[in-house]
Amino acid sequence: MSTATADLAGGHAADGHGAHGHSADGHGADPHGHAHHPFHAHHFDSLEQQFDSGKLGTWLFLVTEILFFSGLFVAYVIYRTTHPEIFEWGHVHLNKYLGAINTAVLIFSSLTMAWAVRAAQLGQKKLLVTMLWITFACAGAFLVVKYFEYSHKFHLGLLPAGMFNPVMAEPVAGHDATGHGDAHAAGGHATGHAADSHDVIHGPPPPPGAGIFFSIYYAMTGLHAIHILGGMALIAWLAVRASKGHFGPTYFGPVDYVGLYWHLVDLIWIYLFPLLYLIH
Amino acid sequence: MSEHSSHSAASHEHGFAHPMPVPMLLAVFASLIFFTILTVVLNGAVPDFLELPVAMLIATIKALLVMLFFMHMVHDKLFNVFAFLSSVIFLGLFIISTLVDTGVNQPAIKEYRLTTPLVAPVQK
């Protein structure tokens, strides 16, 4: 079986010449006597066919991902068209600068991921490992910013519908403490000093159903954050394999596939950012 | 098969890989950052009715840059591109049919709400 496959592969022009300079690639030159690349699966004629099959599979997976997220985008469309007021009230409590910073972090991680794919294709092992770990670090930075955003909202009671319980400033309270610190007692800070103005929500009271904005916000950004976590696990796996020298000009599929996934995560964020943070 | 082989032979230096030139990657990155800053600056600076269309237009330009260059669509097989774009077409269909449905039924729902007295939830 393996001999037959090797013969097929050997007869293929793409693998016939040994000019790749990749030690494991040359047929017959393998010191272990294997007639094929160590990661060349037996059921594929060539490494190129193997790569193309994996790539098609990855694109199909990304199709399911878009369809998966499309349900949430449709929920967004329904509520944005029928209840625009809850979006106008809710988006004020999202920090568009933190959102923009996170967008930049993700775009930078996309750059390093694309660069990692290039490094894998050119067999630049050191650069590949470096780029993968930079991408991993950016993903971590994105989640740290997200953690601060989430925890601030939890603190203010800006939770999904059902748990939505915003900590509102008393309407009579001034913008700073001028001896009326007790006005902030409603916020649970009756300790004498006026509560920090960041601990309560100023401005108009929420319209009915405002929690739905936060349901949509947490569902969309939360599902996206889960994808970031999954991406981090995959990138770490790639970095470990890359440091073992697994990838080269004829075998870089896994880096390419994870790269595609990572860019899709970036792509979804590119839409989430204006839809949630930049409402006016 | 012969087409397959000649394609590989033409790019035999890197096998079947199409490494993206570094200047191109950097140019795409710079454009993406530029459009991100642009969309934040334009937020609140354009008339209300243009806010969403402008933000979506910029997001789509960014998405195209990511797809064409970072995701290598310019070098990918046409079949893969069609497969992926089919999901975008379906997303568009979902959103359009949702908007049509909301547009048709929402006035009737509002009228029903206004004309039908609210019933308090049953207390146990």
Side-chain angles (χ1 to χ4, degrees):
Chain A
M1 174 65 188
S2 77
T3 320
T5 315
D7 284 348
L8 270 175
H12 197 282
D15 297 305
H17 57 78
H20 293 297
H22 196 278
S23 63
D25 192 49
H27 294 285
D30 192 335
H32 304 292
H34 293 149
H36 57 80
H37 189 283
F39 297 112
H40 180 181
H42 288 231
H43 51 288
F44 291 112
D45 282 352
S46 65
L47 281 162
E48 182 169 4
Q49 192 199 35
Q50 178 173 335
F51 171 75
D52 288 341
S53 307
K55 189 118 175 174
L56 175 61
T58 306
W59 279 116
L60 291 178
F61 168 64
L62 298 190
V63 167
T64 68
E65 287 282 276
I66 298 270
L67 295 178
F68 184 23
F69 271 94
S70 71
L72 289 170
F73 280 105
V74 166
Y76 177 95
V77 168
I78 292 173
Y79 283 99
R80 177 107 190 232
T81 48
T82 56
H83 299 283
E85 72 283 357
I86 65 173
F87 287 80
E88 279 156 26
W89 188 86
H91 92 94
V92 173
H93 305 292
L94 305 186
N95 186 330
K96 72 176 175 181
Y97 297 107
L98 284 182
I101 288 169
N102 253 354
T103 308
V105 168
L106 267 199
I107 289 172
F108 183 71
S109 77
S110 261
L111 168 70
T112 55
M113 191 70 224
W115 208 326
V117 172
R118 178 191 150 83
Q121 290 171 333
L122 295 175
Q124 300 163 326
K125 181 179 151 184
K126 225 174 182 176
L127 184 66
L128 169 61
V129 175
T130 309
M131 284 298 167
L132 286 171
W133 283 124
I134 294 175
T135 312
F136 182 88
C138 288
F142 179 92
L143 288 182
V144 167
V145 173
K146 209 87 222 117
Y147 165 78
F148 282 114
E149 286 190 82
Y150 274 14
S151 57
H152 185 56
K153 279 172 198 61
F154 292 168
H155 192 65
L156 293 175
L158 297 172
L159 294 162
M163 290 179 279
F164 185 68
N165 184 24
V167 183
M168 300 299 296
E170 290 275 316
V172 291
H175 287 293
D176 55 3
T178 51
H180 295 287
D182 59 341
H184 290 284
H189 293 269
T191 49
H193 73 279
D196 190 315
S197 66
H198 294 296
D199 286 349
V200 290
I201 297 168
H202 297 280
I212 290 170
F213 173 80
F214 290 95
S215 295
I216 290 172
Y217 167 79
Y218 286 115
M220 294 185 102
T221 58
L223 187 64
H224 181 264
I226 289 170
H227 279 79
I228 297 268
L229 276 176
M232 285 176 82
L234 289 169
I235 291 164
W237 168 68
L238 285 182
V240 170
R241 285 195 65 183
S243 61
K244 290 179 184 166
H246 284 188
F247 305 117
T250 54
Y251 181 71
F252 56 89
V255 186
D256 201 308
Y257 312 149
V258 172
L260 283 180
Y261 167 82
W262 191 250
H263 298 310
L264 184 88
V265 172
D266 184 22
L267 212 64
I268 290 168
W269 183 260
I270 282 175
Y271 282 97
L272 286 185
F273 171 56
L275 285 176
L276 293 168
Y277 290 76
L278 300 181
I279 302 166
H280 207 258
Chain B
M1 197 53 133
S2 61
E3 184 190 315
H4 202 61
S5 308
S6 64
H7 164 74
S8 294
S11 57
H12 69 277
E13 203 178 331
H14 308 300
F16 43 87
H18 296 279
M20 282 281 167
V22 170
M24 184 191 267
L25 293 178
L26 291 175
V28 172
F29 170 71
S31 315
L32 289 170
I33 293 292
F34 166 76
F35 282 115
T36 304
I37 294 170
L38 184 70
T39 195
V40 172
V41 170
L42 286 181
N43 178 240
V46 293
D48 278 0
F49 72 99
L50 280 177
E51 197 83 47
L52 191 61
V54 167
M56 287 299 98
L57 178 71
I58 293 175
T60 303
I61 294 171
K62 287 166 74 182
L64 283 174
L65 284 172
V66 170
M67 288 194 289
L68 287 175
F69 301 106
F70 282 176
M71 296 174 95
H72 300 176
M73 259 191 181
V74 283
H75 291 310
D76 214 324
K77 291 184 163 37
L78 213 52
F79 184 78
N80 290 351
V81 176
F82 279 131
F84 184 68
L85 290 184
S86 72
S87 70
V88 181
I89 291 168
F90 273 100
L91 173 62
L93 272 177
F94 295 159
I95 288 176
I96 289 167
S97 53
T98 301
L99 284 173
V100 169
D101 181 67
T102 308
V104 169
N105 292 318
Q106 206 57 31
I109 293 170
K110 274 192 180 141
E111 194 190 327
Y112 175 81
R113 285 228 181 98
L114 287 174
T115 54
T116 314
L118 280 176
V119 180
V122 179
Q123 299 281 330
K124 283 201 172 176

